[in-house]
């Protein structure tokens, strides 16, 4: 039997010749979802066999996207591997789509069947961080690719580097059509310690219909600083038309996102905490502008110095002082949350307001106060949006007072004589102890720093059951 994950429905699974691990695997039938290798982003265990099935109704297909990939080995993947198989509706016949390992995530996959089997196997030797992936169940007529990919062959997605490369990568040959728009001086792999990048034809107006991808990679032990000198792109409130997007690793996954920029304002200097950076430029068919010119340089991590107004993480990363000891790991090594047991918060004098966040109603308190001084959340509407990222946590049934703990952090209790009350340390520690196993089985770390909260059970000082 395979381990059933939350939001997973039970159906009859095809026979798997190896014994699946209790740490992973499941059968998904929800319209969309996500999963990852065990312990991600920490190293996955050895000797794993994980099998996930994504099952749609007959007539529907599955769109599958791997956001990050770090699996031991290179093609043909003799050691650890991630296999994708399309299966017939009865689960008796399958077709292998891909076998994956290494560090390069593939483009989006659109299946031609209503079932997708995802198998992850690790051997007894060295491992990696694993993978994270998302899926959507869609109509067969709705097949699409990511905005930085090319769609052909009724569902095949290609990296844009295969578009207009004078070779037919698509069976329908559409990847070599309308190539007059394509500029080969756009994007590329930059490995020098310093360099520059610019929009096509800069300083003239950039052409329409552009997707440029620069992958900057410098030696290990260095970080990358990106500086924009000139910047002028079509403006939009959410940068939906023409934009530059920067990521702090080689993939354009949500977890690596550093910022999206458009308009005439220079973006800030961007520093990647690691030795890789991805810069994407997208232009649609509408208005055009003068584009941008930017330079980058690498800095030895040991030479990185933060400003007097910033906190220096152990790994050299710089973070604003306001994020230190706020209960969240803003440094990728977690050093901003170390030795925080002596931290106290001054009361914030403001008017109390009725709790409007639905999941936080009916608790031991019914009034809150914003802005949330611990997390920098301006109002309850923003709190609702932030809590969506913690949906999996709030749905766990490992601890009866988990909802109270979560709400007292995001939507804190307000007291009439001024200020808000944090959760008690004992409440946080009890939740961490009882939920640790459930979170580990999903490859998720406990998100709160319990040492931040008052070591007291006095209801005047902190919230308790």
């Amino acid at each position: 039997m395979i381990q059933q994950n939350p939001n997973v429905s039970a159906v009859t699974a095809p026979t798997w010749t190896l014994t699946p691990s209790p740490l992973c695997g499941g059968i998904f039938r929800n319209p969309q979802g996500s999963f990852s290798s065990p312990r991600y982003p920490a190293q996955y265990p050895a000797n794993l066999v994980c099998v996930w099935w994504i099952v749609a109704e007959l007539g529907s297909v599955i769109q599958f996207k791997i956001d990050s990939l770090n699996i031991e080995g290179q093609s043909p993947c003799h050691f650890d591997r991630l296999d994708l198989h399309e299966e017939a509706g009865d689960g008796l016949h399958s077709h292998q789509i891909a076998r994956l390992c290494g560090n390069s995530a593939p483009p989006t996959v659109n299946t031609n069947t209503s079932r997708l089997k995802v198998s992850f196997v690790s051997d007894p030797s060295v491992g990696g961080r694993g993978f994270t992936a998302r899926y959507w169940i869609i109509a067969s007529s709705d097949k699409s690719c990511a905005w930085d990919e090319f769609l052909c062959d009724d569902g095949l997605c290609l990296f844009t580097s295969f578009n207009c490369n004078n070779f037919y990568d698509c069976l329908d040959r559409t990847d070599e059509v309308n190539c007059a728009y394509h500029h080969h001086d756009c994007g590329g792999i930059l490995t020098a310690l310093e360099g520059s990048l610019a929009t096509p034809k800069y300083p003239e107006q950039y052409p329409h219909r552009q997707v440029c991808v620069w992958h900057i990679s410098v030696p290990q032990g260095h970080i990358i600083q990106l500086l924009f000198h000139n910047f002028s792109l079509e403006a939009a409130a959410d940068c939906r038309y023409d934009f530059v997007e920067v990521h702090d690793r080689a993939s354009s996954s949500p977890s690596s996102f550093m910022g999206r920029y458009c308009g005439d304002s220079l973006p800030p200097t961007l520093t990647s905490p690691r030795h890789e950076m991805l810069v994407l430029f997208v232009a649609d068919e509408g208005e055009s502008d003068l584009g941008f010119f930017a330079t980058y340089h690498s800095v030895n991590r040991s030479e990185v110095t933060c400003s007097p107004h910033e906190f220096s993480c152990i790994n050299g990363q710089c973070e604003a002082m306001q994020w230190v000891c706020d209960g969240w790991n803003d440094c990728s090594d977690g050093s901003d949350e170390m030795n925080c047991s002596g931290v106290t918060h001054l009361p914030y004098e403001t008017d109390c307001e009725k709790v409007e966040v639905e999941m936080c109603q009916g608790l031991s308190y019914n009034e809150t106060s914003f802005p949330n001084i611990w997390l920098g959340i301006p109002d309850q509407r923003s709190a609702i949006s932030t809590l969506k990222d913690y949906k999996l946590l709030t749905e766990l049934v490992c601890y009866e007072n988990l909802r109270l703990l979560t709400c007292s952090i995001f939507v804190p209790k307000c007291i009439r004589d001024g200020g808000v009350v944090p959760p008690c340390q004992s409440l946080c520690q009890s939740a961490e102890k009882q939920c640790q196993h459930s979170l580990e089985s999903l490859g998720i770390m406990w998100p709160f720093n319990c040492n931040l909260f008052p070591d007291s059970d006095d209801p005047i000082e902190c919230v308790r059951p």
Side-chain angles (χ1 to χ4, degrees):
M1 296 295 292
I2 58 177
Q3 178 77 11
Q4 293 292 308
N5 284 347
N7 299 323
V8 173
S9 303
V11 299
T12 303
T15 302
W16 178 249
T17 55
L18 299 175
T19 303
S21 166
L23 293 176
C24 53
I27 306 173
F28 295 89
R29 303 187 89 176
N30 285 341
Q32 63 184 52
S34 62
F35 55 95
S36 64
S37 52
R39 300 180 184 173
Y40 186 89
Q43 188 178 72
Y44 53 77
N47 299 313
L48 275 180
V49 177
C50 307
V51 186
W52 296 267
W53 279 275
I54 305 169
V55 181
E57 295 182 355
L58 291 177
S60 297
V61 296
I62 297 158
Q63 189 172 84
F64 184 74
K65 177 65 175 174
I66 297 176
D67 288 321
S68 61
L69 187 75
N70 181 245
I71 296 176
E72 178 197 11
Q74 299 294 329
S75 181
C77 306
H78 291 305
F79 305 107
D80 303 345
R81 62 187 185 271
L82 182 67
D83 288 332
L84 307 181
H85 285 83
E86 286 183 333
E87 292 190 335
D90 55 11
L92 300 178
H93 301 88
S94 68
H95 163 69
Q96 186 172 34
I97 302 174
R99 170 162 288 185
L100 305 168
C101 57
N103 299 313
S104 298
T108 304
V109 171
N110 291 296
T111 69
N112 294 309
T113 67
S114 59
R115 298 171 65 104
L116 177 67
K117 182 172 76 172
V118 182
S119 310
F120 177 56
V121 177
S122 66
D123 65 7
S125 64
V126 178
R129 293 193 305 275
F131 72 94
T132 60
R134 295 173 288 161
Y135 76 87
W136 300 264
I137 294 176
I138 60 174
S140 58
S141 59
D142 292 338
K143 292 179 182 178
S144 63
C145 301
W147 58 264
D148 55 349
E149 299 170 350
F150 182 81
L151 174 66
C152 64
D153 291 346
D154 192 30
L156 175 65
C157 297
L158 297 178
F159 288 123
T160 52
S161 58
F162 291 91
N163 182 209
C164 295
N165 64 351
N166 297 315
F167 185 82
Y168 291 120
D169 299 285
C170 303
L171 293 177
D172 61 13
R173 300 190 173 192
T174 53
D175 57 311
E176 297 302 315
V177 176
N178 297 322
C179 289
Y181 288 103
H182 192 85
H183 291 261
H184 291 281
D185 59 346
C186 171
I189 299 175
L190 307 176
T191 57
L193 292 178
E194 58 183 37
S196 63
L197 48 154
T199 46
K201 294 189 174 182
Y202 181 86
E204 299 177 20
Q205 286 194 343
Y206 52 80
H208 303 301
R209 296 172 56 188
Q210 297 297 304
V211 177
C212 308
V213 183
W214 291 270
H215 176 204
I216 305 173
S217 179
V218 298
Q220 292 271 6
H222 290 70
I223 62 173
I224 300 167
Q225 292 184 337
L226 180 68
L227 176 64
F228 289 89
H229 300 275
N230 295 296
F231 194 88
S232 185
L233 306 184
E234 179 185 3
D238 53 359
C239 296
R240 70 175 69 180
Y241 304 121
D242 300 352
F243 59 85
V244 169
E245 193 170 286
V246 183
H247 293 258
D248 66 7
R249 63 191 68 171
S251 66
S252 56
S253 65
S255 61
S256 67
F257 180 78
M258 297 183 73
R260 176 182 284 200
Y261 308 97
C262 62
D264 296 323
S265 298
L266 278 176
T269 299
L270 298 170
T271 302
S272 173
R274 47 183 60 82
H275 70 290
E276 291 183 309
M277 179 180 281
L278 197 73
V279 182
L280 312 174
F281 167 64
V282 173
D284 65 3
E285 298 179 356
E287 297 180 17
S288 180
D289 215 318
L290 297 180
F292 71 85
F293 176 76
T295 59
Y296 77 89
H297 67 277
S298 62
V299 180
N300 192 305
R301 189 183 297 277
S302 62
E303 300 174 359
V304 175
T305 57
C306 301
S307 75
H309 305 293
E310 293 180 314
F311 175 79
S312 178
C313 307
I314 292 177
N315 63 6
Q317 185 178 341
C318 299
E319 291 291 344
M321 282 294 187
Q322 69 189 85
W323 307 130
V324 178
C325 293
D326 65 344
W328 309 91
N329 290 326
D330 299 288
C331 298
S332 57
D333 58 13
S335 56
D336 60 312
E337 297 304 314
M338 296 179 180
N339 305 314
C340 292
S341 57
V343 175
T344 58
H345 292 283
L346 296 175
Y348 184 86
E349 296 185 2
T350 187
D351 294 331
C352 296
E353 59 188 70
K354 184 179 179 181
V355 173
E356 297 177 356
V357 180
E358 184 176 356
M359 72 161 284
C360 298
Q361 293 176 342
L363 296 173
S364 57
Y365 64 93
N366 55 22
E367 290 186 321
T368 185
S369 176
F370 279 83
N372 185 320
I373 59 174
W374 304 315
L375 305 181
I377 301 175
D379 50 40
Q380 293 199 58
R381 178 176 296 182
S382 300
I384 294 172
S385 177
T386 305
L387 280 167
K388 290 179 181 178
D389 295 333
Y390 296 86
K391 186 173 185 293
L392 180 60
L393 175 68
T394 58
E395 290 179 347
L396 292 177
V397 293
C398 51
Y399 181 55
E400 61 180 349
N401 294 309
L402 184 58
R403 184 166 67 100
L404 175 63
L405 169 65
T406 306
C407 287
S408 61
I409 295 173
F410 287 93
V411 188
K413 177 183 178 180
C414 178
I415 53 177
R416 279 295 173 180
D417 57 353
V420 290
V421 181
C424 294
Q425 188 177 118
S426 58
L427 172 62
C428 181
Q429 290 174 338
S430 297
E432 179 179 11
K433 180 179 179 180
Q434 297 193 37
C435 295
Q436 194 74 45
H437 178 72
S438 298
L439 290 172
E440 286 179 353
S441 68
L442 297 171
I444 301 173
M445 296 178 61
W446 176 251
F448 306 127
N449 177 11
C450 294
N451 292 328
L452 171 68
F453 305 122
D455 186 13
S456 170
D457 285 329
D458 188 334
I460 298 178
E461 296 185 16
C462 56
V463 172
R464 59 188 297 271

